[in-house]
Amino acid sequence: MNQNLKSYIPQAALDQVDQLLLDDCLEVVVKKARKTRHGDYRKLKNGHHQITVNSNLNTSRFLVTLLHEIAHYEAYKTYGSKIKPHGKEWKMTFQRLALPFLRPEIFPNQVLPYLAHYFKNPKASSDSDVQLSRVLRELDPPNEKTYIFEVEEGAKFKTHNGKLFRKGKKRRTRYEATELQSGRLYSFSPNAEIELIKDRNE
């Protein structure tokens, strides 16, 4: 295993992860933080395979993301390239890889029940599971981030791409918001990071 990678993974999981990364055709690269993804997997032109994971993730989220991407690689090896990216083959592979890691030596006790629930039917992103995403976020160092579920209906906010919105109502699991420039209606995950815009007269 890449020595640099060890600092991002829970100590108790190192040997297990090392066994999953023995393949010389598979490379793991730690990347700077990306807004749109925690990690990704792709087959390179030279026939090798590359996984990337963001460097700003806490060790629990980093491990979940790494296993997610390793599952893509293993599913590709087992079932070929014509399967759906997050179809049943990937789900089964992800479940099989993750199960041995669901131990209190590796993940904090408060996270384990949410992980167990998530792995019953894993989604394309762990952020799709709002409760799991929140409990993983609680492991992050204190920060100044604001999330859309925390602000009041009618509040104005800015997203990472600079667009301005006004928060609307909650519809089932997501929040509506109107883009101020175009008037278009968008929906946001409750855990979407935003920058709250305060009116000057407040």
Side-chain angles (χ1 to χ4, degrees):
M1 183 191 301
N2 185 316
Q3 290 297 316
N4 182 48
L5 190 60
K6 291 184 177 182
S7 62
Y8 295 97
I9 298 171
Q11 187 72 25
L14 290 178
D15 289 343
Q16 289 174 255
V17 171
D18 202 26
Q19 290 300 309
L20 295 177
L21 299 179
L22 288 176
D23 196 327
D24 291 336
C25 291
L26 179 62
E27 176 189 27
V28 179
V29 179
V30 179
K31 292 271 193 178
K32 291 182 180 179
R34 293 165 290 185
K35 289 288 186 181
T36 57
R37 69 190 70 181
H38 296 313
D40 61 20
Y41 156 78
R42 62 192 179 110
K43 183 180 179 181
L44 304 176
K45 291 181 179 179
N46 63 6
H48 286 207
H49 302 257
Q50 184 184 80
I51 286 170
T52 69
V53 185
N54 290 2
S55 62
N56 65 324
L57 307 180
N58 64 57
T59 57
S60 291
R61 191 184 288 277
F62 190 99
L63 180 55
V64 171
T65 303
L66 179 61
L67 293 173
H68 173 125
E69 305 306 341
I70 293 174
H72 280 301
Y73 173 59
E74 293 292 339
Y76 173 88
K77 286 199 304 179
T78 304
Y79 302 103
S81 60
K82 294 184 179 180
I83 61 174
K84 293 181 179 180
H86 297 99
K88 62 181 181 180
E89 298 86 357
W90 171 80
K91 289 176 186 284
M92 290 188 298
T93 305
F94 194 11
Q95 290 167 331
R96 174 176 59 80
L97 293 180
L99 185 59
F101 289 88
L102 298 186
R103 298 185 286 114
E105 299 89 347
I106 294 176
F107 289 104
N109 284 324
Q110 69 266 32
V111 176
L112 284 171
Y114 297 98
L115 281 174
H117 179 267
Y118 170 69
F119 281 117
K120 290 180 180 179
N121 185 27
K123 300 293 193 297
S125 169
S126 59
D127 285 343
S128 301
D129 187 317
V130 174
Q131 297 301 320
L132 174 60
S133 182
R134 287 184 186 177
V135 75
L136 286 173
R137 193 181 70 232
E138 289 172 1
L139 303 177
D140 291 337
N143 58 59
E144 300 300 321
K145 293 177 182 177
T146 303
Y147 300 87
I148 193 170
F149 79 88
E150 297 175 322
V151 303
E152 296 180 356
E153 184 178 329
K156 288 189 288 187
F157 65 89
K158 182 166 63 173
T159 54
H160 68 89
N161 57 9
K163 290 185 177 182
L164 298 175
F165 293 85
R166 186 180 299 277
K167 181 180 175 181
K169 296 183 179 296
K170 185 177 183 180
R171 302 295 184 188
R172 296 185 64 190
T173 61
R174 299 175 71 85
Y175 288 94
E176 291 182 345
T178 303
E179 186 191 359
L180 297 183
Q181 184 174 4
S182 68
R184 289 182 60 189
L185 194 64
Y186 291 75
S187 68
F188 289 83
S189 161
N191 294 318
E193 293 179 21
I194 62 168
E195 179 184 341
L196 186 64
I197 304 297
K198 291 188 177 293
D199 291 331
R200 292 181 178 178
N201 58 358
E202 289 185 355

